[in-house]
Amino acid sequence: MQLLLLPRLMSAIGEARSCAAGLVVLAAALASSARVRTLPLNALLFLAARAGLAVAETANVALTARHSRPAERGPNLAYLQSFQAGCRVITPWIANYLFSLSLGGKYGTPGALPFLGTALLALLTAPVPLLLQRRPTGGQRQARREE
């Protein structure tokens, strides 16, 4: 997917739209998987969520590189990686709390709260790359200053 689909997708619709589309696919798949209990469909939703995440993360790196000044590009990409690593440490604790909270069925399907919470966050984040698309990139800002 990384070698065949993503370059074509990003050249066809751009990094910002690819990132937003990946986040929407991730949100839809997670929200749906919170309700689905049958194995074949649940596995397909898991794969859709992973595909959406792969598209969003790859496009996010491309957007970070594009919108960073050349001198700041390396540190910004390092900050992005560090933030993602930190989230991979913290979010299981949050998901465990939400899962335990939703086990009683008080909030809908038992155990669905972490999926629904993550889907909501992904959906709320989806417009952000589209807003970045309208801003001039780091290279464009530098070219304007040189003129």
Side-chain angles (χ1 to χ4, degrees), residues 123-143:
L123 197 57
L124 291 174
T125 308
V128 173
L130 299 175
L131 295 173
L132 287 175
Q133 185 179 19
R134 296 181 181 164
R135 289 185 53 216
T137 64
Q140 290 170 342
R141 283 191 300 266
Q142 189 173 359

Side-chain angles (χ1 to χ4, degrees), residues 18-114:
S18 296
C19 187
L23 287 168
V24 169
V25 168
L26 174 65
L30 285 174
S32 299
S33 68
R35 303 285 294 171
V36 173
R37 298 290 184 216
T38 58
L39 187 55
L41 187 54
N42 198 339
L44 289 174
L45 289 170
F46 176 77
L47 289 175
R50 293 302 303 163
L53 181 64
V55 170
E57 280 188 345
T58 304
N60 189 18
V61 170
L63 283 169
T64 302
R66 179 180 302 259
H67 287 277
S68 298
R69 291 185 190 109
E72 297 170 347
R73 192 167 294 143
N76 286 345
L77 291 171
Y79 295 143
L80 180 63
Q81 288 294 321
S82 297
F83 183 74
Q84 288 175 343
C87 286
R88 288 185 180 106
V89 171
I90 293 169
T91 54
W93 292 345
I94 298 168
N96 182 33
Y97 173 74
L98 291 173
F99 185 79
S100 300
L101 191 66
S102 64
L103 274 180
K106 182 178 174 184
Y107 301 102
T109 304
L113 217 51

Side-chain angles (χ1 to χ4, degrees), residues 116-127:
L116 295 174
T118 306
L120 179 64
L121 288 175
L123 197 57
L124 291 174
T125 308

